[in-house]
Amino acid sequence: MSSVRFLVALCIISSLVPSIFSHEFKIDGKVLELDESNFDAAISSFDFIFVDFYAPWCGHCKRLSPELDKAAPMLSGLTKPIVIAKVNADKYSRLASKYKIDGFPTLKIFMHGVPTEYNGPRKSDLLVRYLRKFVAPDVTVLESDSGITEFVEAAGTAFPIFIGFGLDESAISNLAIKFKKNAWFSVAKDFSEKTMALYEFDKVPALLALHPNFNEQNIFYGPVEEKFLEEFIQQSLLPLTLPISPEGLKLLKDDDRKIVLTIVEDETHFESKALIKLLRAAASANRDLVFGYVGFNQWQDFAEAFEVDRKTPLPKMVVWDGNEVFFSVIGSESIHSEDQGSQITLFLERFREGKVIQKQLGPSFFGYITSLIGMRTVYIIVFLIAVMFLIATIGKEEPLTTGTQYRSASASTTIADNARLSAHKED
């Protein structure tokens, strides 16, 4: 009788968790092709799985596919392997809806079953370096000068690096977990005066923030309490002056500080570089704000959203809330060539005093609809409108112009809306 009960129990368990019995996955360096029947089983089978939600017709997806094929064996060979998988989200719409896929490709890394959106590089070698951080220790313990050097070199330039000198691992472990997707964290147990001179700090405890990609570093000496450490880390995730580009806007996604935006004629000009140095000094003294800059020649569409055209005196400074609103500071609409440091100081003083005019970014109806219902629905609406227009114009001699209608709608979107809503979703 007991054996019968055992068999019945086994049948019940197997019916409740069929994925465990019906799906077997191997870590063999190949990209898994998943669908609605095996997706959940795959996610539960691996601690780390990187998923490409793609559409067969998407050109960006087609270019990404061979990069994932090259990255897969490298990631599967890590001490803590990362498996790469892909899902035809255009075909398996229930999965796409569950994970809010509204553009292609959308990339997510599932860590112990929890998804995090991936906005990093897509070339195989850079992708591998970027993803290694997700399986690295929350806090790496460094035992020597050479260990510090090796850690910094291995971390690369994609993320800021935090090194605690004279700090116990427990002091930053919670914060390292919280900001794991944004930065590298370590503590140095043993180091020499040579290392102190190299990183320009003269006492401990100290928390060093490095931005290798921008050749910047900042030092925090305390108080060594979690709330103060978190504030420093949060403010140090971005460089002091951030070049605004589609990639730069992705970095602003999780930062709720207002952005002091300086629009110059050309980022590469000598005068612009000199101004950026002054902005860096101002940023160091005003860490509650983000300082960004953009060249009109580099990204004209973005600059025009802030009432800038070829006749506008540049450089021009505004304060942007990161969404639909920006502020023009009364009496500081443009920065003249002489004594720019004082003008920046005056701009900030007037802004903090509330001497501003609030303005709205350019037309954004299409972007507004996108934010409400998603790109997939927008495409369906556009298609239905096109069909209705086709039916209404059958028999007329005038040629069809549905393509022009779609371009007109798209043109009304501000570049800021599109970049912040879906900078990483390319099709």
Side-chain angles (χ1 to χ4, degrees):
M1 190 67 180
S2 60
S3 61
V4 173
R5 290 175 179 172
F6 174 77
L7 288 173
V8 171
L10 184 62
C11 290
I12 293 172
I13 293 171
S14 63
S15 66
L16 292 174
V17 287
S19 60
I20 295 176
F21 295 93
S22 58
H23 299 291
E24 291 185 2
F25 302 98
K26 297 179 180 179
I27 301 176
D28 57 5
K30 296 180 180 179
V31 177
L32 297 177
E33 186 77 38
L34 302 179
D35 55 37
E36 290 172 347
S37 71
N38 62 4
F39 186 86
D40 290 339
I43 296 304
S44 62
S45 296
F46 302 108
D47 290 339
F48 303 93
I49 180 167
F50 181 73
V51 181
D52 169 25
F53 293 89
Y54 74 97
W57 46 261
C58 164
H60 295 289
C61 301
K62 292 176 183 177
R63 287 190 288 275
L64 175 63
S65 183
E67 299 297 330
L68 297 181
D69 289 337
K70 287 187 283 187
M74 291 185 276
L75 290 169
S76 67
L78 298 175
T79 304
K80 292 183 179 180
I82 300 176
V83 174
I84 295 183
K86 57 172 60 176
V87 175
N88 184 342
D90 195 44
K91 180 178 180 181
Y92 300 107
S93 56
R94 282 190 298 176
L95 275 177
S97 176
K98 179 179 179 180
Y99 292 104
K100 300 178 181 179
I101 308 302
D102 60 2
F104 305 107
T106 293
L107 305 172
K108 294 179 182 287
I109 180 167
F110 289 76
M111 296 180 285
H112 304 286
V114 179
T116 297
E117 194 143 345
Y118 173 87
N119 296 314
R122 299 182 180 184
K123 291 294 183 183
S124 59
D125 55 339
L126 298 177
L127 185 145
V128 170
R129 174 171 281 193
Y130 197 101
L131 287 176
R132 279 193 309 106
K133 182 174 59 62
F134 291 94
V135 297
D138 297 327
V139 181
T140 300
V141 178
L142 309 174
E143 303 288 354
S144 63
D145 287 353
S146 60
I148 296 169
T149 301
E150 290 168 3
F151 175 76
V152 171
E153 289 178 351
T157 61
F159 295 95
I161 302 166
F162 292 93
I163 306 175
F165 293 93
L167 280 178
D168 189 76
E169 182 181 351
S170 61
I172 60 171
S173 58
N174 290 336
L175 297 172
I177 294 170
K178 181 175 182 177
F179 296 106
K180 185 178 180 73
K181 70 176 185 177
N182 303 109
W184 293 94
F185 290 89
S186 66
V187 291
K189 292 293 187 181
D190 193 14
F191 50 90
S192 67
E193 291 184 359
K194 182 179 179 181
T195 292
M196 295 177 68
L198 175 64
Y199 292 114
E200 299 176 357
F201 68 98
D202 55 9
K203 60 182 180 180
V204 294
L207 181 59
L208 170 71
L210 289 175
H211 273 282
N213 206 29
F214 298 93
N215 195 28
E216 283 186 13
Q217 66 178 52
N218 296 298
I219 293 287
F220 176 75
Y221 288 113
V224 183
E225 298 175 19
E226 188 162 309
K227 67 175 182 177
F228 297 111
L229 288 168
E230 180 171 1
E231 183 179 68
F232 173 75
I233 289 170
Q234 181 74 61
Q235 294 178 352
S236 300
L237 291 174
L238 295 175
L240 288 172
T241 51
L242 178 69
I244 300 297
S245 63
E247 292 299 319
L249 289 183
K250 293 175 190 177
L251 298 176
L252 291 171
K253 184 178 179 182
D254 298 324
D255 199 308
D256 59 3
R257 290 176 290 171
K258 286 186 170 60
I259 301 134
V260 177
L261 177 64
T262 301
I263 304 168
V264 298
E265 182 179 349
D266 194 302
E267 296 174 13
T268 64
H269 288 175
F270 173 79
E271 296 85 355
S272 298
K273 292 181 178 180
L275 175 59
I276 292 167
K277 288 183 179 180
L278 295 174
L279 292 171
R280 187 174 292 120
S284 182
N286 295 271
R287 300 305 296 265
D288 59 322
L289 300 167
V290 175
F291 283 69
Y293 63 90
V294 65
F296 185 85
N297 291 346
Q298 278 72 33
W299 202 358
Q300 180 177 336
D301 290 340
F302 181 84
E304 287 176 344
F306 297 90
E307 300 182 350
V308 172
D309 57 31
R310 294 196 177 278
K311 295 181 181 179
T312 305
L314 297 177
K316 175 180 177 177
M317 293 181 71
V318 298
V319 178
W320 179 34
D321 74 345
N323 291 300
E324 297 282 340
V325 173
F326 72 98
F327 303 89
S328 178
V329 175
I330 299 170
S332 296
E333 286 79 9
S334 61
I335 302 297
H336 307 296
S337 58
E338 296 182 3
D339 196 13
Q340 291 180 327
S342 297
Q343 293 175 71
I344 293 170
T345 300
L346 183 61
F347 174 92
L348 294 170
E349 288 176 354
R350 288 173 172 169
F351 167 69
R352 294 190 185 281
E353 291 168 359
K355 297 177 179 178
V356 299
I357 300 173
Q358 180 173 317
K359 298 182 178 181
Q360 204 77 8
L361 293 184
S364 58
F365 176 77
F366 192 79
Y368 175 70
I369 293 297
T370 299
S371 69
L372 288 180
I373 60 180
M375 281 301 298
R376 290 171 62 86
T377 310
V378 171
Y379 292 149
I380 293 172
I381 292 173
V382 171
F383 174 74
L384 291 175
I385 292 173
V387 171
M388 292 170 63
F389 187 81
L390 175 62
I391 294 171
T393 55
I394 287 176
K396 294 184 178 181
E397 293 182 0
E398 186 176 347
L400 210 60
T401 58
T402 55
T404 303
Q405 285 189 340
Y406 180 76
R407 285 194 298 273
S408 176
S410 298
S412 69
T413 314
T414 65
I415 196 73
D417 292 331
N418 282 339
R420 287 188 62 86
L421 288 171
S422 55
H424 61 292
K425 295 168 184 172
E426 304 180 50
D427 273 329

